Amino acid sequence: MSATESGGALDAAPRKTFLGHPRGLVVLFFTEMWERFSYYGMRALLTVYLVQHFLFGPKEAQGIYAAYAAMVYLMPVLGGMIADRYLGARKAVIIGAVMLVAGHFAMAFEGEGGKERMTVDGQTYQVQVDGRDQNRKMFVVNDAGERAEIKISGEGVTRVEPLAEGQTGFPNTVPTGGYTTEITRDLGFGEPMLFFALSLIIVGVGFLKANISTVVGALYEENDPRRDGGFTIFYVGINLGSFLATAACSYLGYNYGWAYGFGLAGIGMLIGLVTFLLGQSWLEGRGGPPQPIKGRRILGVPVEPFFWIATIVSVFPIWMLMQRHGIIEAVLIPVAAVTFALVVGTTVFTLKGAERSRMLVAQVLIFFSVLFWALFEQAGSSLTLFADQSTQMPNWFNAGYTQMFNPGIIVLGGPLVAALWVWLGKRNKEPSTPVKFSVALALVGAGFLLLAWAASSQANDAFKVPLMFLFLTYLLHTLGELCLSPVGLSMITKLSVARMVGMMMGVWFLSSSVAHIVAGVIAKATATDTIAGVVTDPSKALESYTSMYSTIGWTGVGVGVLLLLLSPLLKKGMAGIR
């Protein structure tokens, strides 16, 4: 059996290397870098795009984002199973990359979006907004095409250039309650295309996310000491792609138009696909199917064409589900709760001794990780809107740029944190996994407490907080991520019984999916009213953020302390595994 036909390890390590690692790592590094470029470039724009272009209210926009993110983290469970049983990781990555290219380019077809009308004293005006950053201006336009600039506050609507005596038009002031608004959206093309594009991306990530990491692992033999270094290099690629994407896509999206930002994300993914296809020889057959697929059929169709067809067909039910995204929130959490209960029950009643205690510790840590990710993933929703609505920023800066903070800190600080663990380990002082999880929770909570304090005491007259405090929040959150994320999957593989590792990996991804739903519930609680994507009452918006961030901040710190108190018991249950 040739290497290309088999997914198993080869008899010998790849003969050609690059900087001491298999050459295939170069291909996978750049493939993943460009894939993350497309994913995070789109994410940097998505929530604000939903609010400003389609005129979804912040609550609805954050619900859409939560459902999308939840599905993105759920689908790799299915994509990984298909690769493990039929296609192999390499072919699955190609399917996923093609779907991602299609999805990101589809995002560039934005349609007409939403239109909002304001009625005052029986007269209806079209509301228009020029610009996308914090300096955007709002106008009302009557049926004759006459345009007047307005500003909205908690007191009502004010005309920027007052009417001269005897002049008619939009009133100089309209108190809150003195006007009504109505929104219509592009239901014929724009909105359906939005959800179709998101569905393509969901399916694409499902095939690519878990499987490209599998290909990285397949480059190395079982006891190859280079393996951890290879995954570290790969992790740098993830964050380098994220950093570059949030800078470039945000710049184009905010300054030239949403389609340009999304289009650049699509180009990035296309480059990633081409890189992977051209680099096949460097992978030397690693990540192939578990057994030859030539001659194998499913329902009478050859295996590979079957999954191409099934992948395309699967987009449509997800598309319909995304248009009714509340169903995802209503169903996913109960299903996850039942699944988790079954896993715990299986552990308690079928395992004994050290195997049972280790598995239970892994499940406890998974449970605590849900809260961490629910708070951390405010980055794509409420923290992005906080940046747009309630943060004082330089004229050249926009809300999308704030998502550069996390990957930038990881690229610079990740090696330092990794070196710290090594330094402590050599002195037998490295914290256990439960302690690292507790520190992560405390740090993510502390970040929100800092931001809540700044919102309550450091805001200017326009109810905006200095950008420095948002950066410091991301700094604390990222340090927390470095304490939890790199050790999470490792913890699953170390503590799980060999025959149940796949199931536990599925539970880990399911918990991440649930975390995004919980994150959406939190984010929606921060939402306040907008007109044409502009907050109607900045004071109320800041007060809403302050209240919710204080609540979840103390929750994060408190749960972190609780886990720290439990850590000696959990460490004992790990039975000697760190």
Side-chain angles (χ1 to χ4, degrees):
M1 185 184 299
S2 71
T4 304
E5 293 173 332
S6 172
L10 302 187
D11 294 333
R15 290 170 301 205
K16 295 181 180 180
T17 63
F18 182 80
L19 297 178
H21 287 272
R23 291 193 307 169
L25 185 62
V26 177
V27 175
L28 300 176
F29 174 95
F30 284 107
T31 300
E32 180 69 353
M33 186 191 79
W34 285 112
E35 188 275 327
R36 292 291 88 182
F37 181 99
S38 66
Y39 178 81
Y40 283 103
M42 190 273 278
R43 192 186 84 155
L45 302 175
L46 181 57
T47 306
V48 177
Y49 173 66
L50 294 173
V51 172
Q52 289 192 21
H53 182 68
F54 283 97
L55 305 186
F56 289 108
K59 181 177 291 188
E60 179 78 357
Q62 291 173 132
I64 293 170
Y65 174 79
Y68 160 73
M71 293 297 290
V72 159
Y73 277 85
L74 185 62
M75 290 302 289
V77 178
L78 181 59
M81 291 170 59
I82 291 172
D84 288 344
R85 187 169 181 180
Y86 297 103
L87 291 175
R90 201 172 64 251
K91 291 182 182 296
V93 167
I94 293 173
I95 293 177
V98 170
M99 301 301 286
L100 282 166
V101 170
H104 285 294
F105 278 126
M107 286 293 296
F109 293 92
E110 56 189 33
E112 295 182 359
K115 294 182 179 180
E116 188 153 8
R117 295 175 176 82
M118 179 182 293
T119 301
V120 179
D121 295 332
Q123 175 68 45
T124 299
Y125 301 85
Q126 180 75 41
V127 181
Q128 296 179 351
V129 176
D130 288 355
R132 299 168 192 84
D133 57 18
Q134 288 190 330
N135 296 321
R136 58 191 184 270
K137 296 180 179 180
M138 182 181 292
F139 299 85
V140 287
V141 184
N142 63 16
D143 293 337
E146 296 172 334
R147 203 168 187 239
E149 184 179 355
I150 60 172
K151 288 185 179 295
I152 296 181
S153 68
E155 287 72 41
V157 184
T158 304
R159 184 177 175 129
V160 173
E161 294 185 4
L163 292 169
E165 187 175 348
Q167 187 179 4
T168 60
F170 191 87
N172 289 334
T173 60
V174 180
T176 299
Y179 62 87
T180 59
T181 60
E182 179 186 11
I183 295 174
T184 58
R185 279 191 283 273
D186 182 6
L187 299 179
F189 174 78
E191 188 172 321
M193 177 58 75
L194 163 71
F195 290 113
F196 185 67
L198 293 178
S199 302
L200 286 168
I201 294 171
I202 288 168
V203 173
V205 173
F207 274 98
L208 189 144
K209 185 174 177 64
N211 292 312
I212 194 167
S213 298
T214 301
V215 182
V216 174
L219 292 177
Y220 301 90
E221 303 306 327
E222 185 174 347
N223 297 315
D224 193 327
R226 301 173 299 171
R227 179 186 293 266
D228 286 351
F231 272 100
T232 300
I233 294 171
F234 185 68
Y235 192 62
V236 171
I238 292 174
N239 288 284
L240 181 60
S242 175
F243 180 84
L244 295 175
T246 50
C249 295
S250 294
Y251 174 77
L252 289 180
Y254 278 87
N255 291 289
Y256 295 97
W258 304 115
Y260 292 95
F262 292 129
L264 181 61
I267 291 171
M269 189 61 245
L270 180 60
I271 295 173
L273 172 60
V274 171
T275 300
F276 191 76
L277 292 175
L278 294 180
Q280 289 293 294
S281 63
W282 281 26
L283 298 177
E284 302 188 12
R286 306 293 172 127
Q291 55 183 296
I293 62 174
K294 188 176 182 179
R296 295 179 66 195
R297 292 176 176 270
I298 299 176
L299 301 178
V301 181
V303 169
E304 192 168 354
F306 174 85
F307 281 108
W308 276 102
I309 296 169
T311 298
I312 294 170
V313 170
S314 70
V315 172
F316 293 92
I318 294 175
W319 176 55
M320 296 177 66
L321 193 59
M322 282 300 299
Q323 293 178 82
R324 300 160 181 81
H325 55 87
I327 296 175
I328 298 174
E329 181 178 327
V331 171
L332 185 58
I333 292 179
V335 168
V338 171
T339 302
F340 194 77
L342 290 174
V343 171
V344 173
T346 301
T347 301
V348 171
F349 293 109
T350 65
L351 300 177
K352 296 181 180 180
E355 286 188 341
R356 179 166 63 184
S357 65
R358 288 173 182 170
M359 285 281 286
L360 288 174
V361 169
Q363 290 155 23
V364 169
L365 293 178
I366 288 174
F367 180 80
F368 279 101
S369 76
V370 171
L371 176 61
F372 174 83
W373 291 117
L375 302 189
F376 181 87
E377 287 298 337
Q378 296 302 305
S381 53
S382 74
L383 283 175
T384 297
L385 292 184
F386 180 89
D388 180 59
Q389 299 168 355
S390 302
T391 303
Q392 181 183 354
M393 296 188 288
N395 290 335
W396 56 270
F397 210 82
N398 62 57
Y401 287 155
T402 61
Q403 293 196 38
M404 291 190 296
F405 295 155
N406 172 254
I409 294 167
I410 287 178
V411 170
L412 295 175
L416 298 178
V417 173
L420 174 63
W421 299 143
V422 172
W423 185 83
L424 291 172
K426 289 179 179 179
R427 289 156 179 79
N428 201 30
K429 294 182 179 179
E430 182 182 0
S432 65
T433 297
V435 171
K436 289 179 180 178
F437 271 54
S438 69
V439 172
L441 280 162
L443 285 171
V444 76
F448 282 113
L449 288 179
L450 172 64
L451 200 55
W453 171 80
S456 64
S457 63
Q458 302 299 309
N460 62 12
D461 293 341
F463 305 102
K464 295 182 183 294
V465 176
L467 178 63
M468 175 185 67
F469 292 104
L470 186 56
F471 170 78
L472 292 175
T473 293
Y474 273 103
L475 174 62
L476 291 170
H477 287 189
T478 304
L479 292 175
E481 179 190 7
L482 290 170
C483 289
L484 184 143
S485 183
V487 302
L489 290 176
S490 175
M491 174 269 296
I492 295 295
T493 58
K494 288 189 296 186
L495 296 180
S496 299
V497 177
R499 63 183 181 276
M500 300 174 72
V501 170
M503 180 189 72
M504 290 296 288
M505 282 294 186
V507 173
W508 175 264
F509 278 111
L510 179 60
S511 70
S512 297
S513 185
V514 169
H516 281 83
I517 294 296
V518 178
V521 173
I522 294 170
K524 286 190 285 187
T526 67
T528 52
D529 293 336
T530 59
I531 292 180
V534 178
V535 169
T536 58
D537 190 342
S539 173
K540 185 177 180 181
L542 189 63
E543 181 182 338
S544 178
Y545 286 121
T546 302
S547 175
M548 179 50 63
Y549 287 168
S550 178
T551 299
I552 62 177
W554 283 116
T555 300
V557 171
V559 174
V561 171
L562 173 63
L563 182 55
L564 182 63
L565 295 175
L566 292 175
S567 61
L569 179 62
L570 295 174
K571 184 179 180 180
K572 182 179 179 181
M574 293 169 69
I577 295 179
R578 181 170 287 278

